[in-house]
Amino acid sequence: MKAGADKIVHQKQATYLADLEPKRDALFERMEARARERGYPISDPEVATFLGVAVRAAKPKFIVELGTNIGYSAIAMARAAESDARVVSIELDAELAKEARAFIAEAKLPCAVEVREGLATEQLKAIKGDIDFLYLDCVKREYPEYLELAIPRMRSGGVIVADNALWMGLVASDEVPEKERAATEGMRAFNRMIVSHPALQGVVLPLGDGVAYAVKR
């Protein structure tokens, strides 16, 4: 979730847009409350809505997510997927993976969802088959590496979505705290790749904490 008030549009506009968001069901409300309680960085609700829209439009059969956390975005994507789709979500933290599996089971989703434990880069290398839809919400400094690994594994027309593209506004700031420099530089490099990589057509959207969206040529 965002670290504070909206930094992209004026506060009145941000409030207006938030009010337009459909009311979340009981499961999502509990997951959002759990994330607030524990400080878990799950996707913003509007980003989850965007993921659902993007999945419905793309109709992917194979969805890969890097960074499961408690399963919030995996559920958002799986709810929008068709029954013959498959979601593989990767999480390093075993306790988070366990919690995600419980929420996913409770969600009674229309398609298969698997949570795998391990390093995102290693698990991505091990993926078999062409990826139709990739969602990144993992270690920010590693985003460029994820992209380089993913592009050869994406089918033509495959979709890439990445959260935190603006990284709390730091990607556009001249003053970056030392502890955020690696993540900020990673996101700056990733954003440049998304909009300039010859294999992609991409854009960075001012949604949530910034969302990158690209299609493989």
Side-chain angles (χ1 to χ4, degrees):
M1 286 188 170
K2 283 177 287 190
D6 199 289
K7 297 177 178 63
I8 302 170
V9 298
H10 296 300
Q11 189 58 50
K12 284 185 178 180
Q13 295 168 328
T15 301
Y16 169 77
L17 291 172
D19 288 343
L20 285 179
E21 272 293 303
K23 180 177 173 57
R24 265 84 70 199
D25 61 21
L27 176 61
F28 266 8
E29 286 185 346
R30 282 198 292 111
M31 294 180 78
E32 290 165 12
R34 174 68 170 166
R36 286 192 298 271
E37 170 195 332
R38 299 299 298 271
Y40 292 151
I42 66 171
S43 301
D44 290 339
E46 63 264 37
V47 175
T49 298
F50 178 80
L51 285 171
V53 172
V55 167
R56 286 193 190 279
K59 300 185 185 304
K61 299 304 181 188
F62 185 29
I63 300 169
V64 173
E65 175 184 38
L66 303 187
T68 314
N69 204 274
I70 58 172
Y72 185 76
S73 50
I75 291 172
M77 291 186 288
R79 281 178 167 176
E82 298 183 346
S83 59
D84 59 346
R86 180 167 64 104
V87 180
V88 171
S89 187
I90 296 164
E91 175 56 52
L92 179 61
D93 187 299
E95 287 303 312
L96 284 176
K98 180 180 179 181
E99 194 166 352
R101 292 187 186 104
F103 280 125
I104 287 166
E106 183 179 347
K108 295 181 171 56
L109 298 166
C111 68
V113 180
E114 176 189 0
V115 177
R116 297 181 183 175
E117 295 176 31
L119 290 169
T121 51
E122 295 306 313
Q123 291 293 323
L124 186 55
K125 289 176 185 177
I127 290 289
K128 304 297 183 184
D130 290 341
I131 299 171
D132 299 311
F133 193 103
L134 175 69
Y135 180 51
L136 304 179
D137 191 11
C138 206
V139 182
K140 309 311 169 189
R141 68 177 181 274
E142 295 180 356
Y143 269 38
E145 185 178 2
Y146 301 153
L147 194 58
E148 289 288 6
L149 287 171
I151 288 173
R153 292 168 169 79
M154 301 290 300
R155 69 162 176 83
S156 177
V159 172
I160 299 170
V161 179
D163 201 6
N164 305 114
L166 296 177
W167 196 231
M168 302 175 289
L170 292 176
V171 293
S173 177
D174 293 329
E175 297 182 5
V176 178
E178 179 63 34
K179 68 177 182 178
E180 299 293 352
R181 285 185 183 171
T184 302
E185 287 305 312
M187 293 312 304
R188 286 171 174 167
F190 173 83
N191 291 340
R192 286 191 294 270
M193 292 170 67
I194 276 287
V195 301
S196 65
H197 196 289
L200 303 174
Q201 183 167 6
V203 64
V204 177
L205 304 170
L207 179 70
D209 188 31
V211 172
Y213 179 89
V215 177
K216 185 175 180 181
R217 297 180 188 274

